[in-house]
Amino acid sequence: MRDADKIRLYGKEKYVLGALGRKEKSFSIRAGDVVRELKMSGRTPAVCSALKSREFLQDNNLRLVAKSGPKSGQSTTVVYTYEFVTKNPPSSQRQDAWIRLRGALKDVFAELGGGEEYLRTERDNFFPSKGQ
């Protein structure tokens, strides 16, 4: 695995998923913390590049809203602040789709004797008889 992929994966697992779990709208990552935690001494430019890459932002539905630190942008003191970008419809709309599906196969199962009877028949016929 390339260093950039390792950094992006770590950023996602440790910071992005953590922020999602806490239902935060924004969060920050300090480059030096990632360098230290991944034991990538001397790889600060790679860490900074990976954390602001288009791939990291798009894969995690993020927008980089602030960057603090030296002008070079290549320091362990650089802090990136991200905000989640909503690309999916709100959960209430997704839930409505599931509700609309409720009972969709009601008539089909009724013709087969009901859902339980259908499953029982399928289980009974799953393995063919040895005499056949």
Side-chain angles (χ1 to χ4, degrees):
M1 179 182 286
R2 294 181 2 224
D3 281 350
D5 295 329
K6 186 176 178 181
I7 294 162
R8 285 190 292 267
L9 180 62
Y10 183 78
K12 178 177 186 168
E13 290 175 349
K14 167 107 188 219
Y15 296 96
V16 176
L17 296 179
L20 281 171
R22 294 184 299 273
K23 300 185 187 307
E24 295 175 350
K25 293 183 189 320
S26 65
F27 65 97
S28 297
I29 301 176
R30 185 175 164 269
D33 293 341
V34 176
V35 169
R36 185 185 71 252
E37 292 161 1
L38 290 178
K39 296 178 177 44
M40 293 186 136
S41 180
R43 302 291 294 144
T44 302
V47 169
C48 292
S49 293
L51 293 177
K52 65 181 180 184
S53 70
R54 183 177 8 185
E55 186 175 349
F56 182 69
L57 298 173
Q58 288 178 346
D59 289 351
N60 296 296
N61 295 325
L62 298 173
R63 177 177 38 238
L64 183 61
V65 293
K67 179 184 86 169
S68 66
K71 284 185 177 183
S72 70
Q74 306 291 310
S75 168
T76 56
T77 61
V78 173
V79 176
Y80 297 102
T81 302
Y82 306 93
E83 189 173 80
F84 289 103
V85 179
T86 306
K87 289 189 175 184
N88 298 327
S91 61
S92 62
Q93 290 178 353
R94 285 184 294 195
Q95 189 176 19
D96 290 344
W98 284 109
I99 290 171
R100 288 194 309 268
L101 282 174
R102 185 177 178 167
L105 294 173
K106 179 174 65 172
D107 296 333
V108 173
F109 284 120
E111 289 176 21
L112 298 171
E116 290 295 322
E117 181 60 31
Y118 168 75
L119 289 173
R120 189 175 301 109
T121 303
E122 287 298 309
R123 287 184 188 122
D124 291 344
N125 295 322
F126 188 74
F127 293 106
S129 301
K130 292 183 182 189
Q132 294 179 358

